Amino acid sequence: MIPFYVMLLGILAARVLGLLGWSGLADWATATRIGLGAMFLFTGVAHFGRERDDLIRMVPPVLPRPDVLVTFTGLAELAGGVGLLIPAASRWAAWGLVLLLIAVFPANLYAARTDHRIEGRAHTRMAFRAPLQVLWIGLLLWIAG
């Protein structure tokens, strides 16, 4: 749920700045792009920090080299997050992140079914995680136009 709150805070902060006169943040689509960018930067960084070992354990055992997969997905999230912050690249970044969210969904499903924990916190239940994935994909598709 923390990524959701990061996204929400990013959207609201961008909208407040837009309302205060920052013309580049004058609409909801731009604010949403900023909020999603912040969220993916936040989650991408987690792939290389204290949570890395927990994320590696989250990869279903049928997949090879979970460490490499976590590195790849972290780099993809970082690249996508940066891409969302660059208007000229945001459409491509949004499409790439849609594909990434679809690709990593099995790991989220596996984590929810195995009582997986990230830094001692239970993984988000699928009753919440699945709708969040759908929300993020929907917002990314909106950004992609």
Side-chain angles (χ1 to χ4, degrees):
M1 289 295 292
I2 294 173
F4 173 76
Y5 297 126
V6 170
M7 178 198 71
L8 197 58
L9 183 63
I11 292 170
L12 294 175
R15 280 305 288 148
V16 167
L17 290 173
L19 292 171
L20 292 175
W22 195 336
S23 61
L25 301 174
D27 62 83
W28 281 104
T30 302
T32 302
R33 186 171 53 77
I34 299 300
L36 285 166
M39 180 189 80
F40 281 105
L41 289 172
F42 174 82
T43 58
V45 166
H47 287 68
F48 304 99
R50 294 185 325 251
E51 298 171 350
R52 180 173 174 78
D53 290 339
D54 292 334
L55 293 173
I56 289 170
R57 282 190 293 278
M58 185 173 147
V59 176
V62 299
L63 297 175
R65 297 295 313 264
D67 57 331
V68 172
L69 293 173
V70 168
T71 298
F72 174 77
T73 57
L75 292 172
E77 288 181 19
L78 290 170
V82 169
L84 288 176
L85 299 177
I86 302 169
S90 63
R91 182 177 179 162
W92 290 104
W95 279 109
L97 289 166
V98 165
L99 294 174
L100 180 66
L101 286 172
I102 293 168
V104 301
F105 188 74
N108 288 299
L109 183 59
Y110 173 76
R113 295 180 125 178
T114 60
D115 194 33
H116 181 263
R117 300 197 171 270
I118 297 178
E119 291 197 319
R121 294 182 315 272
H123 190 79
T124 306
R125 293 182 188 188
M126 285 313 294
F128 295 111
R129 183 61 186 216
L132 279 176
Q133 295 277 118
V134 170
L135 172 68
W136 292 328
I137 289 170
L139 290 173
L140 288 165
L141 291 173
W142 178 48
I143 298 297

